[in-house]
Amino acid sequence: MTTTHAPAPPTTALVVRTRITHERRSPIRHAFSYSGTSWLIDVDAPPAMPRGLGLLADFRAGDHFPQPARPSDTLRSRIDEFVRDTGIEPADGRIVALLSPRVGGYVFNPLSVFWCHRRDGTLAHVVAEVHNTYGGRHCYVVHPDADGRAMVDKEFYVSPFNDVSGRYRLRVPEPRGGRVAVSIILDRVGQSPFVATLTGQGRPVGIRTVLAAQVRTPMAPLVVAARIRLHGIRLWARRLPLHPRPPRHSTTGHSATTDGPATDRTITDRTAADIAKGQS
């Protein structure tokens, strides 16, 4: 069945004040919620920070997608290259991204979402990119229905508390009026679903909003990475079974993976959405 999506309105850069929740119900129950900060940007026009604020939000093309970075890369060129490598024609319209920039030179994006439009403004596909704390990156290309719903097999090792099995139920409706509402449910045989959500409202970028974001969630990427490790330690202390990390691999089709150096052996707990930023 073919679904249609109304053209999305133009999007200027927004700072999004988010609320992130995670709920694990089995084999033990573990749930938490916290505030965060993300950005909504047009990949062809990433915001330039006012003088003196560059360290608070630095958008670099090489921080996203699995292929090796080149000096000439842009976010658009990297998205197009990745999507083309999966056998899909790149979108020729606007691409809106939900992501976290570098802050203080540090970057960590548990989940980034790219809404890719055709020239007429309708949605062509969505790319969901997951990073883990081992330096790996994995991208899923999905074609959501009119309600933003899609399903995809899990193919990427994110947490030592979940093996690479199961199926994600995604809900990635396009942001409207700066409102973001993304959810990911991991279904696995014999276990209750793992649920992660990210909701928030964007505000126009300006000196006040950028500074307010730092007051509300200072050094957000670093804090997110620390939270992942903290919750991982708690789960380990509760004797949640561990699943070894599989050998480095790459996948084909509608997704691709790159694994970083296997030097970070810290127990971690995170979700493909964290947007989620925590434990899948």
Side-chain angles (χ1 to χ4, degrees), residues 20 22 34 110-111 184 196 198 224 270-278:
I20 298 158
H22 290 224
Y34 62 90
L111 179 80
I184 296 182
L198 178 147
V224 166
R270 39 181 320 189
T271 117
D274 191 81
I275 281 189
K277 302 173 181 184

Side-chain angles (χ1 to χ4, degrees), residues 22-32 159-162 188 191-195 235 240 268-270 278-280:
H22 290 224
E23 183 177 10
R24 177 193 294 272
R25 299 175 184 173
S26 63
I28 66 174
R29 184 177 180 83
H30 183 74
F32 61 90
S159 161
F161 303 107
N162 279 321
R188 294 195 299 163
Q191 293 197 19
S192 299
F194 173 90
V195 181
L235 290 170
L240 184 64
T268 63
D269 178 35
R270 39 181 320 189
Q279 42 177 4
S280 102

Side-chain angles (χ1 to χ4, degrees), residues 188-269:
R188 294 195 299 163
V189 175
Q191 293 197 19
S192 299
F194 173 90
V195 181
T197 67
L198 178 147
T199 59
Q201 179 63 52
R203 305 185 180 196
V205 173
I207 293 177
R208 292 182 64 181
T209 52
V210 172
L211 292 177
Q214 286 304 305
V215 171
R216 183 170 181 261
T217 52
M219 294 296 295
L222 189 61
V223 170
V224 166
R227 280 191 178 121
I228 289 170
R229 288 170 168 81
L230 175 61
H231 284 284
I233 291 170
R234 289 175 177 172
L235 290 170
W236 174 75
R238 295 175 66 184
R239 301 185 184 278
L240 184 64
L242 301 178
H243 298 274
R245 182 154 56 116
R248 177 174 178 170
H249 71 287
S250 63
T251 60
T252 58
H254 284 191
S255 54
T257 297
T258 181
D259 287 331
T263 56
D264 184 354
R265 300 293 179 179
T266 305
I267 297 299
T268 63
D269 178 35

Side-chain angles (χ1 to χ4, degrees), residues 88-110:
I88 298 175
E89 186 64 24
D92 58 0
R94 185 169 47 86
I95 299 178
V96 176
L98 176 71
L99 46 71
S100 296
R102 287 178 175 262
V103 178
Y106 183 81
V107 65
F108 180 57
N109 271 277

Side-chain angles (χ1 to χ4, degrees), residues 24-101:
R24 177 193 294 272
R25 299 175 184 173
S26 63
I28 66 174
R29 184 177 180 83
H30 183 74
F32 61 90
S33 176
Y34 62 90
S35 299
T37 299
S38 295
W39 289 60
L40 271 175
I41 69 169
D42 185 322
V43 301
D44 292 318
M49 291 298 98
R51 183 168 184 159
L53 297 185
L55 284 176
L56 301 184
D58 183 11
F59 299 88
R60 298 187 188 180
D63 289 337
H64 297 274
F65 295 92
Q67 65 268 29
R70 297 176 293 264
S72 61
D73 281 348
T74 64
L75 267 175
R76 165 74 72 166
S77 70
R78 292 184 66 76
I79 295 170
D80 287 353
E81 180 182 352
F82 166 75
V83 171
R84 189 177 290 110
D85 285 347
T86 69
I88 298 175
E89 186 64 24
D92 58 0
R94 185 169 47 86
I95 299 178
V96 176
L98 176 71
L99 46 71
S100 296

Side-chain angles (χ1 to χ4, degrees), residues 4 8 47 71-72 106 108 118 120 138 154 160 172 202 212 214 246 274:
T4 59
S72 61
Y106 183 81
F108 180 57
R118 302 180 185 90
D120 64 5
H138 187 93
K154 181 179 179 180
V172 285
Q214 286 304 305
D274 191 81

